[in-house]
């Protein structure tokens, strides 16, 4: 169903000359600017709407790549990298609001925890894949985290009681659970007798410069 919606949009963007990387950059830049402009001013509903538009636009990069057969390894790397920047900017803008006019130290600390744990969710997966194992488990993938925070923030300005605090607590709990799930899954896969350490060369020394297995 999703592909039926995104494929025509991807073809339309490709026809007007947009590349997948440009779509990624526009979407991520829009999210960052919107989050850091609207949220610190307390314009939570407007900010959530604009951020959602740019986040959805960013998700079309894959459809554009399929439409003009221009997918690349660097494109995937760029998309993943800018996703982290966009996610961080949303929580940073909200944190800015809480320590400013929002004046709520508890929710500011909770937002900071969500920011850090969100990075950990992504990092653990990337580090596991760097060691040659998959780590796709977890209840809080990026899409779920975005939906929770944007809905909670947007509804809070409409007067829905406790929705922002509840959303942040839910996001914090799900992110923490996902971190634990991925740690357990990665440990199990790395301790599997069939696992081959892809980071070491044939002479048993670690590849690279000063990075060691498990050192990050």
């Amino acid at each position: 169903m999703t592909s039926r919606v995104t494929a025509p949009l991807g073809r339309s963007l490709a026809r007007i000359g947009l590349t997948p990387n440009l779509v990624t950059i526009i979407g991520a830049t829009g999210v960052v600017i919107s989050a850091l402009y609207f949220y610190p001013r307390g314009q939570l509903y407007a900010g959530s709407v604009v951020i959602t538009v740019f986040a959805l636009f960013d998700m079309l990069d894959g459809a554009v790549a399929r439409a003009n057969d221009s997918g690349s390894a660097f494109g995937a790397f760029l998309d993943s990298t800018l996703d982290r920047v966009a996610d961080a900017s949303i929580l940073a803008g909200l944190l800015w609001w809480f320590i400013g006019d929002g004046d709520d130290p508890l929710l500011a600390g909770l937002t900071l925890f969500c920011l850090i744990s969100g990075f950990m969710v992504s990092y653990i997966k990337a580090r596991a894949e760097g060691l040659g194992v998959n780590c796709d488990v977890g209840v809080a993938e990026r899409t779920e985290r975005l939906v929770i925070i944007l809905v909670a923030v947007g509804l809070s300005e409409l007067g829905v009681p406790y929705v922002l605090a509840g959303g942040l607590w839910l996001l914090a709990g799900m992110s923490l659970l996902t971190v634990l799930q991925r740690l357990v899954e990665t440990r199990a896969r790395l301790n599997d007798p069939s696992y081959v350490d892809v980071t070491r060369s044939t002479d048993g020394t670690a590849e690279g410069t000063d990075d060691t297995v498990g050192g990050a």
Side-chain angles (χ1 to χ4, degrees):
M1 182 65 70
T2 301
S3 61
R4 292 180 182 177
V5 176
T6 59
L9 292 174
R11 288 193 292 269
S12 298
L13 293 175
R15 278 196 294 268
I16 64 175
L18 290 181
T19 65
N21 289 351
L22 188 56
V23 171
T24 297
I25 292 170
I26 292 173
T29 301
V31 170
V32 171
I33 293 175
S34 302
L36 298 182
Y37 177 82
F38 288 104
Y39 281 177
R41 290 168 171 76
Q43 299 172 347
L44 305 183
Y45 179 77
S48 296
V49 171
V50 177
I51 289 169
T52 299
V53 171
F54 279 109
L56 292 175
F57 182 82
D58 177 48
M59 293 178 183
L60 294 174
D61 52 6
V64 175
R66 289 187 293 272
N68 57 17
D69 194 24
S70 59
S72 67
F74 176 74
F77 168 79
L78 180 67
D79 181 50
S80 180
T81 300
L82 293 185
D83 281 349
R84 306 289 81 75
V85 177
D87 294 350
S89 69
I90 294 173
L91 291 168
L94 192 59
L95 177 61
W96 193 345
W97 161 247
F98 284 136
I99 62 179
D101 293 340
D103 192 23
D104 195 323
L106 176 60
L107 292 187
L110 192 58
T111 302
L112 181 59
F113 176 84
C114 290
L115 194 158
I116 295 172
S117 59
F119 268 113
M120 287 301 301
V121 168
S122 301
Y123 175 78
I124 292 171
K125 179 179 179 179
R127 190 69 178 102
E129 291 177 347
L131 293 172
V133 298
N134 292 325
C135 186
D136 294 326
V137 300
V139 296
E141 295 282 354
R142 181 176 186 252
T143 300
E144 288 81 4
R145 298 198 304 271
L146 278 178
V147 169
I148 290 171
I149 193 63
L150 291 176
V151 170
V153 174
L155 291 180
S156 66
E157 195 177 1
L158 298 181
V160 179
Y162 308 114
V163 68
L164 182 51
L168 284 170
W169 280 109
L170 176 62
L171 179 60
M174 291 178 65
S175 297
L176 177 59
L177 178 58
T178 302
V179 167
L180 296 176
Q181 288 177 307
R182 292 190 170 183
L183 286 173
V184 171
E185 177 71 10
T186 302
R187 181 178 185 275
R189 289 181 179 271
L190 294 178
N191 288 336
D192 190 292
S194 63
Y195 169 68
V196 177
D197 190 347
V198 299
T199 66
R200 293 184 177 276
S201 59
T202 55
D203 62 359
T205 59
E207 295 179 348
T209 52
D210 57 354
D211 188 22
T212 58
V213 176

